[in-house]
Amino acid sequence: MTSTFPNVSISTERLVLRPFEETDAEAFAEMMNDELVTAWTSVPQPYTAADAHAWITRRAPAERAEGRGIVFAVDEFLTQRLVGTVRLSHTDWRVRSAEMSYIVAPWARGEGYASEAALATAQWFFRDQDFERLELRTAADNTASQQVAQKIGCISEGVLRGAWIARARDDRGEWRDVRTDLIVWSLLPEDLDGVAEQLADTGGFTAFPDWN
């Protein structure tokens, strides 16, 4: 029998992580067409309304239903505006591990939202779901994603050489594929000790470890 994550929402003081809804399609497509998202992910380019609708209505729900992981839409609590997304994938139910990735909309960057959403997901993953290892992979030049990994307590384990295809603009302004290294990060339950309090003390975000 395939194991699955529960269909839940996770709340922090500033954010709500929840299942995607069809009404998110327009904002999601806009976010996924951002230059940095195109550069560091493998999403279709351009990312169409049809792509967004297929992800929200079929592909994201299937991740959970088929036991591969879970996908959260991340909303700003006060405005209910779509901030980004957090995804758990490649779930190994025997090893009790999964891989996490995150994307933040251009308008929401610089507010600590990625760290807040990633940490809330990790807390739920370890403390409520009883998992033992979370893995992240960041492109070698994607410093923003690496900073998020460091802020939530991840440990760098090494480099996978030439393991990813990023994208960059050429002289004509067109996207071209560029091979790059991946940095592998891991997070274990004990790595979270004091992380929320440290981020709150340094202004990263307000500590609020509850979820529902």
Side-chain angles (χ1 to χ4, degrees), residues 8 11 52 74 79 84 113 182:
V8 300
S11 297
V74 182
T79 65
Y113 286 152
L182 283 177

Side-chain angles (χ1 to χ4, degrees), residues 65-162:
E66 297 174 11
R68 294 191 297 271
I70 190 169
V71 180
F72 293 110
V74 182
D75 278 353
E76 193 175 49
F77 180 76
L78 290 177
T79 65
Q80 298 185 353
R81 189 175 180 185
L82 185 68
V83 164
T85 183
V86 175
R87 178 185 180 187
L88 298 179
S89 59
H90 302 107
T91 303
D92 188 319
W93 294 92
R94 180 173 180 271
V95 176
R96 308 299 290 176
S97 68
E99 182 178 334
M100 180 165 65
S101 56
Y102 36 78
I103 295 172
V104 175
W107 68 268
R109 291 173 188 154
E111 300 293 333
Y113 286 152
S115 300
E116 186 168 349
L119 181 57
T121 303
Q123 289 172 327
W124 170 80
F125 179 74
F126 289 137
R127 298 175 186 174
D128 197 55
Q129 300 303 304
D130 297 322
F131 273 69
E132 297 294 336
R133 174 181 167 87
L134 193 56
E135 187 172 298
L136 292 80
R137 300 186 179 200
T138 63
D141 292 330
N142 190 352
T143 56
S145 186
Q146 292 163 28
Q147 288 170 355
V148 172
Q150 291 172 328
K151 284 181 180 179
I152 67 171
C154 292
I155 305 299
S156 175
E157 293 188 332
V159 177
L160 300 176
R161 297 183 300 164

